[in-house]
Amino acid sequence: MRVPSRSPGQQPGSPPSPTAPARRRPSGATSRRVPAPAPDLPAYRAAVAELLVEVGALADAASTRARQVLIDERLREPALAAVLDATPQGLIGARETLLLEMARYQPNDRTSATDLSALVRIYLLSRIDVLWWQDAPTFVTDDQVNGSPELVDLEWLRRRDLLRFRYQEQPATILGRAARGLRRRLRPDATPRTAGLLFRRARREVVALLNDIGREFTAVAPPATPPLWVTSLVRSAEHQYRLRRLGYAAMLPSGHCLGYSADVELAWFERFGAREALAELLLSRQEAGELNLIDEGQAWHLCLAPTARRRLRRAYEAEMGV
């Protein structure tokens, strides 16, 4: 509401006096856009958690219309709208995409979205990744991932004992897949049950972040606990679409396709009594503003915050001696 002027020379709604001197901007001055305040991410996460309770109460097929009304209403609340409206899709685009994902949802053994609530959680929390890195270029094709100078070869680093985490690659041949299956039958709990990395490449900042987490995890985990295990890193949009066709909850846009996200195993560490220690470690980094986390059940998705990028790039260069 506009507050009327109380100056004696002008009444509300009357035109300004033609004899009033015009205000001039000082010579050389330029108009400055005041940057919009950053969305409140803790409030956003809290609002998502509240929404999930309501989605869970409307999980049956007969509640489809009620779920749509619920999504329409809740996404317009300030805590949620502030984040969604700041993403490239905007609030309306995010709403339409989420409703479409919910309409297409089919539970299966592959997806981390075990129910509709999990699907909503994964989609809405992944929008923080998109908000942070909306100006970063996407790796569209597999060839772009394999040929990018922005990514380093993990195997080269592993062979020089420069990684504080483990991973495994996806078998490239039928013989390799058969050998993987045989090892799992003989030693079913020796490694996490994951397909492995299609691309053994990562951004330098993400390598530094995972090394940091790996060292800290080794320090707090019970004795004989294996090192941090990474199940997914950079992906191309081409591969993300492949995963979607196979039934995985692979959202688009995705921090994986920008190179700033990774998935780390949690469920497997339960048998070593180390799952809670790793979860607390990751949550403390999220509270410090360094990460965005998504609980995807077996693994947790993490995305590096832009504010931590420079520090981690320097850490990588110092650690690798480059």
Side-chain angles (χ1 to χ4, degrees), residues 116-233:
L116 274 174
S117 293
L119 178 73
V120 174
R121 180 181 67 246
I122 291 169
Y123 177 78
L124 288 179
L125 293 181
S126 70
R127 299 310 89 187
I128 297 176
D129 300 3
V130 176
L131 168 70
W132 279 348
W133 295 106
Q134 58 187 286
D135 294 328
T138 297
F139 294 106
V140 178
T141 66
D142 295 353
D143 288 342
Q144 287 181 357
V145 173
N146 287 320
S148 173
E150 296 298 317
L151 306 175
V152 293
D153 184 359
L154 295 180
E155 190 64 12
W156 188 90
L157 298 173
R158 186 191 66 81
R159 291 175 180 174
R160 289 156 179 80
D161 195 30
L162 294 172
L163 297 181
R164 306 280 75 83
F165 58 90
R166 290 181 183 173
Y167 64 91
Q168 63 183 8
E169 294 182 69
Q170 289 187 21
T173 64
I174 295 177
L175 182 61
R177 288 192 289 271
R180 172 78 57 83
L182 177 61
R183 286 196 298 271
R184 283 181 176 173
R185 287 194 294 273
L186 295 175
R187 301 181 62 199
D189 298 319
T191 60
R193 288 189 168 271
T194 175
L197 305 183
L198 179 62
F199 306 103
R200 64 181 193 196
R201 296 171 63 76
R203 288 191 182 272
R204 294 161 178 83
E205 300 89 341
V206 173
V207 171
L209 171 66
L210 293 171
N211 274 350
D212 268 0
I213 294 173
R215 279 187 289 266
E216 190 172 348
F217 179 52
T218 298
V220 301
T225 300
L228 180 74
W229 195 286
V230 177
T231 62
S232 183
L233 280 164

Side-chain angles (χ1 to χ4, degrees), residues 64-136:
T64 300
R65 176 58 183 167
R67 286 196 303 269
Q68 181 173 341
V69 172
L70 172 68
I71 295 297
D72 281 341
E73 292 178 351
R74 292 293 181 266
L75 294 193
R76 297 178 192 278
E77 294 178 352
L80 293 171
V83 170
L84 298 177
D85 203 41
T87 64
Q89 276 189 307
L91 173 60
I92 301 303
R95 168 194 169 277
E96 294 301 318
T97 300
L98 177 56
L99 289 174
L100 184 60
E101 293 284 354
M102 295 174 72
R104 291 176 172 174
Y105 173 71
Q106 293 291 333
N108 60 75
D109 294 335
R110 288 173 170 165
T111 182
S112 55
T114 54
D115 54 28
L116 274 174
S117 293
L119 178 73
V120 174
R121 180 181 67 246
I122 291 169
Y123 177 78
L124 288 179
L125 293 181
S126 70
R127 299 310 89 187
I128 297 176
D129 300 3
V130 176
L131 168 70
W132 279 348
W133 295 106
Q134 58 187 286
D135 294 328

